[in-house]
Amino acid sequence: MIRSTTNGVLKSYRYSLQHSTNILNKSRDTVLTGRRYNSFADDPAAVAQSFQLRSSLLKLDSQYGVCESAIRKFDVAWSTLNTVVDDSRKAKDAIMKALNDTTGTGRVSLGKELTQLAKSMTHTMNTKYGENFVFAGNDGLNVPFELKGNDLYYRGINVNSKDPKDIEMLKNMTEDEKKYADIGLGLKEDTSGNIVSSSGYNVTLQGTTFVGYGLDDDGDPKNVISIIGRIGEILEGCNQNGEFKAGEKEEFERLSKKFEKASANLTDQYTKLDTQAGFLKENKKNMEATSFTLQEQIMQLEKVDPADAITAFAWAQYSYNAALKVGNNILSQSLMDYIGN
């Protein structure tokens, strides 16, 4: 009859007990941490996939922060322009009163009101968000607007300038300056190293886009603030009977009509800004949904169901205890057999 020696039984038992101990320790760690794995060796494929998902989530979190910052900036801009639009409506009311003032006795006071509105609108357009001026384009650290008499200056250039070079500079500032932010649209560069416009979001806001710049064919200003200021100056120049200075009545009537166009442009750009802000907010919602999906995928890869983990631990503990009990019986019998021999 073949008999097992004590050393052979001990060796086999030790291996089985060690295996049960390892399973017990692993299942205990799973219960305590709630994770499917604690090292790359536990599940290389799952760990690699989880790393990719976490990398995507980290990038998305950064883009989400950029998008939130852009939304706050556009909200400040919208609130600012709301005040400017309200001031332009007040200016319209004052101009209409001056036009319909048959006696002319109220023109001087209306002129003072318009002059003050022009100054107020200029100050409002110099609003800051954080450390940067909202409507300064790419030169956010310096005050964008300054009113000198009835001439409005934007970043040091007279918006009513007759110099073609000044107008060209203003055009470049207004139309060509861009600053693209990565808000999750797949930011990338073309072969020349320039950002592909559809892959980023332009977050620069130029004040001249809203208030206008340049002169028209009659040599009158296109920007709404200068028009209001000049009308105010004309009305303030009326005598105590409300009579205009020579030639200024025609200019007043002409500028009153042009104010309508400049004011309409301000309102149109204000509406467009609201649309832009709406896009950013919708994009933020999409990013939140994407973030939730990524987190769900990561949870599925890394986390275990608590009930399953506890069940596995209980079974491992039972198996470990059973191994100890069986091992004790085997060892006792083998030792007696050894002594009996």
Side-chain angles (χ1 to χ4, degrees), residues 262-283:
S263 179
N265 174 69
L266 172 63
T267 303
D268 288 345
Q269 295 300 329
Y270 169 66
T271 303
K272 288 180 181 179
L273 181 68
D274 188 44
T275 302
Q276 290 176 295
F279 172 81
L280 287 171
K281 291 174 182 178
E282 188 63 30
N283 185 70

Side-chain angles (χ1 to χ4, degrees), residues 3 33 47 74 84 87 92 99 106 123 125 156 173 175 208 251 261 265 267 287 295 305 312 319 327 329:
R3 299 185 60 185
T33 63
V47 172
F74 275 64
V84 174
D87 283 345
K92 180 179 180 179
L99 284 169
H123 292 317
M125 289 298 292
M173 289 178 187
E175 300 177 11
T208 45
E251 184 183 1
K261 183 177 180 180
N265 174 69
T267 303
M287 295 175 79
Q295 291 181 56
D305 181 82
S319 299
N329 293 335

Side-chain angles (χ1 to χ4, degrees), residues 236-256:
E236 283 190 82
C238 293
N239 62 25
Q240 59 183 359
N241 295 321
E243 296 172 340
F244 291 95
K245 291 180 180 179
E248 289 192 349
K249 180 178 181 181
E250 293 76 13
E251 184 183 1
F252 165 67
E253 293 174 346
R254 187 175 69 247
L255 288 175
S256 297

Side-chain angles (χ1 to χ4, degrees), residues 26-36 299-300 302-315:
K26 186 176 180 180
S27 61
R28 181 186 291 111
D29 289 343
T30 300
V31 171
L32 294 175
T33 63
R35 296 176 57 86
R36 292 183 182 276
M299 288 283 288
Q300 291 174 2
E302 296 183 353
K303 300 298 181 180
V304 295
D305 181 82
D308 292 341
I310 292 172
T311 300
F313 173 67
W315 176 252

Side-chain angles (χ1 to χ4, degrees), residues 103-117:
T103 63
T105 55
R107 286 173 183 162
V108 174
S109 60
L110 288 171
K112 291 179 180 179
E113 180 183 347
L114 288 168
T115 299
Q116 186 57 44
L117 282 171

Side-chain angles (χ1 to χ4, degrees), residues 178-234:
K178 309 289 182 183
K179 183 178 181 181
Y180 291 103
D182 184 6
I183 60 169
L185 303 178
L187 190 69
K188 64 179 180 179
E189 298 179 349
D190 58 21
T191 54
S192 301
N194 298 316
I195 300 296
V196 177
S197 60
S198 60
S199 68
Y201 197 82
N202 179 29
V203 294
T204 56
L205 295 172
Q206 289 83 4
T208 45
T209 300
F210 303 93
V211 300
Y213 67 94
L215 302 175
D216 61 17
D217 295 337
D218 297 323
D220 293 324
K222 293 181 180 180
N223 80 85
V224 65
I225 295 177
S226 290
I227 292 175
I228 293 173
R230 176 55 185 157
I231 292 176
E233 183 182 38
I234 292 173

Side-chain angles (χ1 to χ4, degrees), residues 10-11 37-38 62 64 100 103 115 122 128 210 253 270 279 286 290 337:
L10 277 172
K11 183 177 180 180
Y37 50 81
N38 292 299
S62 176
Y64 184 84
N100 297 321
T103 63
T115 299
T122 302
K128 296 177 73 175
F210 303 93
E253 293 174 346
Y270 169 66
F279 172 81
N286 293 336
T290 302
D337 288 347

